[in-house]
């Protein structure tokens, strides 16, 4: 297990590095391709253990949904609670019923099996949606509904799957029990999420106010929170998914309230969330790529390809139609927004995780292979179709390459303003040279040979332990950083750079200045 986790971690990081070389291609597609390559290489494929849905849900999906919830203000959720309930309950039930009946009539499978396949096809993936809309402007309202849907519909899909799977295995469907189980699992998950998060939140806030420096403890506790809450909820036989989502949303409110109690903690928490999101998201699609190879290797057969293809296409088309008409006539959306909402319901590795959970419920091998291949075709279609269609119906955003070029240019000019300030200072030439070199590092304007010379010099010479020198260096650099901030403000006022992009550069300058403060404290 540890070897598998280490291999997946390395591959996920590698795919993130590779994706930076191809900025026009979504990192999700790059991660999927890397996963496929790993699945085709026997040495790597053998190091990754057999897929277990419970492990996948605990180690990847639970924290991913927690961090997604952390990015969701409760006020936004409260104002759209009725719409969310409709999307994640009413629309899910409608989609399951229509798709189940259609599969039963079209390909002649039993009604229980058809409903199992339909239930699995309901969960959507917000991170997968971002991959199909990369470089395009998604309608704000549709985009927000898609993200909120993906937070909550995993739970409803899982509960429906368990009920229909028992119908398939036992031959009977208890409507009353299914409804009671749904309510108890959903409400219980929400209650456990609130209770556990309240305990953790109060404990963290107490630490903030009693310990002088609890930063490391706070970050470790923050990372462990979704795992702890998910395990507690599952042990109590309620929805662990809803529990971690609710906990993430509550943590968002906590972070907003205690923003300045420990500013460093707030900043590092946000960066930790971004890092974990990127890593977990990459892992999801790496696993999807590896599973794709294994699925085709073990289950693909020309004899059954027709029924698999028809089932997968039917599931996708019906889900698309139900989503479109629900958005158009129930949510009162425009035709364009309804189409975007329908196409934006992209499926990912969560769908495959639900499929593999059937192995523990006693589903026959024949039924399992049909379900697996149909759902896999559904996933492929849900990613490929919107990738193509969105290019024709959505406007293009300013490309990442253009934004990076603009940032690079402003950053260079900002540093040049600071260098000009250094030249006006009455400093010895060696001091000016050293200070200018460090400033040019901000703009990535120093060569590798220059780095090597400076590195060799640091190895040869001892660090200067002199209060006057450190105070002098601090005053010089803070003046230079003040000049850089002034230049950024002028660039924003002149309309040369947008506020959101200037904020990134402004943050870099503040972090550089904060590093000086940390060094002074260490001394």
């Amino acid at each position: 297990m540890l070897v598998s986790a280490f291999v997946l971690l390395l591959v996920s990081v590698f795919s993130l590095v590779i994706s930076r070389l191809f900025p026009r291609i979504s990192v999700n597609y790059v991660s999927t391709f890397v996963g496929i390559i790993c699945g085709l290489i026997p040495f790597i494929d053998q190091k990754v253990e057999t897929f277990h849905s419970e492990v996948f849900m605990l180690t990847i999906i639970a924290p991913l949904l927690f961090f997604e919830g952390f990015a969701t203000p409760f006020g936004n959720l409260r104002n759209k609670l009725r719409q969310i309930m409709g999307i994640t309950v009413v629309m899910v039930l409608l989609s399951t019923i229509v798709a189940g009946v259609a599969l039963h009539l079209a390909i002649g499978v039993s009604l229980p099996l058809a409903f199992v396949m339909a239930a699995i096809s309901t969960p959507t993936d917000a991170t997968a949606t971002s991959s199909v809309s990369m470089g395009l402007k998604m309608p704000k309202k549709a985009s927000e509904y898609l993200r909120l849907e993906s937070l909550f519909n995993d739970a409803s899909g899982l509960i429906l799957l368990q009920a229909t799977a028992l119908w398939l295995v036992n031959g009977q469907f208890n409507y009353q029990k299914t409804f009671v189980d749904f309510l108890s699992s959903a409400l219980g998950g929400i209650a456990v999420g609130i209770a556990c998060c309240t305990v953790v939140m109060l404990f963290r806030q107490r630490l903030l106010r009693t310990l002088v420096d609890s930063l490391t403890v706070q970050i470790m506790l923050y990372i462990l929170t979704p795992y702890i809450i998910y395990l507690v909820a599952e042990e109590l036989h309620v929805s662990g998914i809803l529990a971690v989502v609710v906990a993430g949303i509550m943590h968002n409110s906590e972070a907003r309230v205690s923003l300045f109690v420990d500013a460093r903690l707030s900043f590092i928490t946000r960066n930790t969330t971004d890092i974990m999101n990127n890593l977990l998201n990459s892992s999801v699609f790496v696993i999807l790529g590896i599973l794709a190879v294994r699925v085709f290797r073990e289950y693909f057969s020309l004899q059954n390809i027709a029924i698999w293809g028809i089932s997968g296409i039917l599931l996708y088309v019906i889900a698309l139609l139900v989503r479109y008409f629900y958005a158009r006539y129930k949510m009162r959306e425009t035709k364009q927004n309804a189409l975007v909402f329908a196409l934006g319901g992209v499926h990912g590795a969560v769908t495959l995780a639900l499929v593999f959970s059937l192995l523990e419920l006693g589903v026959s091998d024949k039924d399992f292979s049909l379900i697996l291949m149909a759902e896999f075709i559904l996933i492929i279609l849900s990613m490929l179709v919107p990738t193509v269609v969105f290019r024709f119906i959505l406007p293009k955003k300013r490309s990442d390459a253009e934004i990076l070029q603009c940032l690079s240019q402003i950053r260079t000019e900002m540093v040049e303003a600071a260098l000009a300030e250094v030249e006006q200072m009455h400093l010895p030439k060696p001091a000016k040279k050293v200070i200018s070199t460090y400033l040019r590092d901000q703009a990535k304007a120093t060569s590798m040979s220059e780095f090597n010379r400076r590195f060799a010099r640091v190895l040869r010479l001892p660090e200067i332990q002199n209060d006057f020198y450190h105070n002098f260096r601090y005053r010089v650099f803070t003046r230079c950083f003040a000049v850089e901030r002034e230049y950024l403000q002028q660039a924003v006022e002149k309309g040369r750079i947008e506020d959101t992009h200037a904020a990134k550069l402004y943050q870099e300058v503040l972090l550089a200045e904060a590093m000086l403060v940390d060094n002074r404290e260490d001394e």
Side-chain angles (χ1 to χ4, degrees):
M1 182 64 71
L2 289 177
V3 175
S4 295
F6 182 69
V7 170
L8 287 174
L9 178 64
L10 283 180
V11 173
S12 300
V13 172
F14 175 74
S15 66
L16 288 172
V17 173
I18 294 297
S19 69
R20 297 301 183 266
L21 302 176
F22 304 96
R24 295 183 180 276
I25 303 176
S26 169
V27 62
N28 296 340
Y29 284 126
V30 174
S31 297
T32 304
F33 180 75
V34 170
I36 290 172
I37 297 299
C38 291
L40 293 173
I41 301 174
F43 174 76
I44 299 178
D45 185 50
Q46 292 169 6
K47 296 296 182 182
V48 180
E49 292 188 10
T50 303
F51 181 80
H52 296 285
S53 59
E54 303 92 341
V55 176
F56 177 73
M57 297 296 286
L58 169 65
T59 58
I60 295 180
I61 299 303
L64 190 58
L65 290 175
F66 173 80
F67 296 128
E68 287 285 346
F70 182 76
T72 307
F74 179 73
N76 294 2
L77 178 67
R78 182 186 58 195
N79 295 334
K80 296 179 175 62
L81 190 58
R82 184 174 61 84
Q83 293 90 331
I84 293 170
M85 288 295 294
I87 292 171
T88 58
V89 178
V90 177
M91 191 181 74
V92 165
L93 283 172
L94 187 62
S95 181
T96 301
I97 293 170
V98 174
V101 173
L103 283 172
H104 173 64
L105 296 176
I107 60 176
V109 295
S110 67
L111 206 55
L113 177 58
F115 272 90
V116 167
M117 296 169 69
I120 294 174
S121 67
T122 56
T124 56
D125 187 343
T127 55
T129 303
S130 65
S131 67
V132 302
S133 60
M134 183 176 176
L136 303 170
K137 291 182 180 179
M138 288 278 287
K140 185 177 180 180
K141 194 174 179 182
S143 180
E144 189 170 7
Y145 279 134
L146 286 169
R147 190 170 63 82
L148 292 173
E149 176 194 8
S150 67
L151 283 176
F152 295 98
N153 70 349
D154 290 352
S156 54
L158 180 59
I159 295 167
L160 268 178
L161 171 63
Q162 291 171 343
T164 53
L166 289 175
W167 182 16
L168 176 63
V169 174
N170 300 329
Q172 59 181 0
F173 185 78
N174 190 326
Y175 298 93
Q176 184 177 358
K177 185 177 184 304
T178 300
F179 180 72
V180 171
D181 287 348
F182 178 83
L183 284 182
S184 61
S185 181
L187 296 178
I190 293 172
V192 168
I194 293 173
C196 290
C197 183
T198 301
V199 173
V200 172
M201 181 176 63
L202 294 177
F203 178 68
R204 292 178 67 228
Q205 290 298 316
R206 176 63 66 177
L207 285 180
L208 278 174
R209 288 159 175 79
T210 54
L211 294 184
V212 176
D213 186 4
S214 62
L215 181 63
T216 303
V217 176
Q218 292 278 0
I219 294 300
M220 294 304 298
L221 184 58
Y222 174 69
I223 293 173
L224 290 174
T225 295
Y227 300 104
I228 296 170
I229 292 178
Y230 184 85
L231 286 173
V232 170
E234 290 297 315
E235 281 296 314
L236 296 175
H237 303 291
V238 297
S239 175
I241 291 174
L242 280 179
V244 295
V245 169
V246 169
I249 294 170
M250 289 183 65
H251 269 69
N252 175 280
S253 299
E254 179 204 5
R256 292 167 63 194
V257 170
S258 58
L259 185 63
F260 297 125
V261 175
D262 190 331
R264 285 194 306 164
L265 176 62
S266 298
F267 179 80
I268 293 174
T269 298
R270 290 184 180 184
N271 281 274
T272 300
T273 301
D274 290 339
I275 292 170
M276 293 295 291
N277 261 331
N278 287 330
L279 188 58
L280 292 170
N281 181 51
S282 178
S283 300
V284 166
F285 287 92
V286 166
I287 292 171
L288 181 61
I290 293 173
L291 285 178
V293 176
R294 291 181 177 179
V295 165
F296 270 84
R297 183 185 297 145
E298 186 170 354
Y299 295 100
F300 184 78
S301 168
L302 289 175
Q303 182 179 358
N304 297 320
I305 191 171
I307 191 171
W308 290 343
I310 294 171
S311 302
I313 293 171
L314 198 57
L315 282 172
Y316 180 66
V317 170
I318 290 174
L320 205 63
L321 292 173
V322 170
R323 295 177 64 86
Y324 175 81
F325 286 110
Y326 186 88
R328 185 78 178 93
Y329 297 105
K330 181 63 177 177
M331 298 167 62
R332 307 295 182 186
E333 293 292 331
T334 64
K335 291 181 180 179
Q336 167 110 352
N337 280 1
L339 182 58
V340 171
F341 177 78
L343 290 167
V346 182
H347 304 275
V350 175
T351 300
L352 282 183
L354 294 183
V355 173
F356 280 96
S357 69
L358 292 172
L359 292 172
E360 302 166 7
L361 298 176
V363 176
S364 68
D365 291 341
K366 181 181 178 182
D367 289 343
F368 178 77
S369 63
L370 171 60
I371 296 169
L372 179 62
M373 293 305 296
E375 301 296 342
F376 189 75
I377 291 170
L378 167 74
I379 292 171
I380 294 174
L381 289 174
S382 73
M383 294 182 69
L384 291 180
V385 172
T387 299
V388 176
V389 176
F390 279 167
R391 267 41 186 185
F392 294 96
I393 66 173
L394 293 180
K396 291 184 178 180
K397 292 192 299 188
R398 191 178 180 187
S399 70
D400 291 342
E402 291 175 342
I403 294 172
L404 289 175
Q405 185 178 0
C406 176
L407 286 173
S408 179
Q409 181 180 349
I410 298 295
R411 184 188 287 112
T412 300
E413 294 173 3
M414 174 188 78
V415 172
E416 287 175 352
L419 292 173
E421 181 70 16
V422 172
E423 287 301 317
Q424 295 176 9
M425 295 179 182
H426 297 289
L427 300 173
K429 286 187 177 180
K432 284 186 177 182
K433 183 178 180 181
V434 172
I435 293 168
S436 298
T437 301
Y438 276 101
L439 289 173
R440 286 191 294 114
D441 280 343
Q442 290 179 285
K444 314 293 189 296
T446 51
S447 64
M448 281 300 299
S449 59
E450 190 170 2
F451 166 79
N452 292 332
R453 287 196 302 271
R454 290 160 61 193
F455 183 75
R457 187 172 181 274
V458 168
L459 292 178
R460 290 196 311 270
L461 301 177
E463 184 179 357
I464 298 175
Q465 299 293 337
N466 183 290
D467 289 341
F468 175 79
Y469 165 76
H470 291 300
N471 288 331
F472 165 76
R473 183 186 65 170
Y474 177 75
R475 288 196 300 271
V476 171
F477 275 114
T478 51
R479 175 55 193 155
C480 292
F481 295 145
V483 170
E484 291 181 349
R485 290 196 295 271
E486 291 169 7
Y487 182 86
L488 281 176
Q489 184 63 38
Q490 293 171 5
V492 172
E493 291 173 357
K494 294 177 182 178
R496 299 190 57 221
I497 186 172
E498 296 177 13
D499 283 338
T500 52
H501 300 147
K504 176 179 173 60
L505 297 178
Y506 199 90
Q507 188 182 79
E508 291 177 5
V509 177
L510 291 177
L511 285 173
E513 191 166 354
M515 291 301 299
L516 286 177
V517 176
D518 281 346
N519 287 337
R520 283 163 62 87
E521 290 177 351
D522 293 340
E523 293 152 6

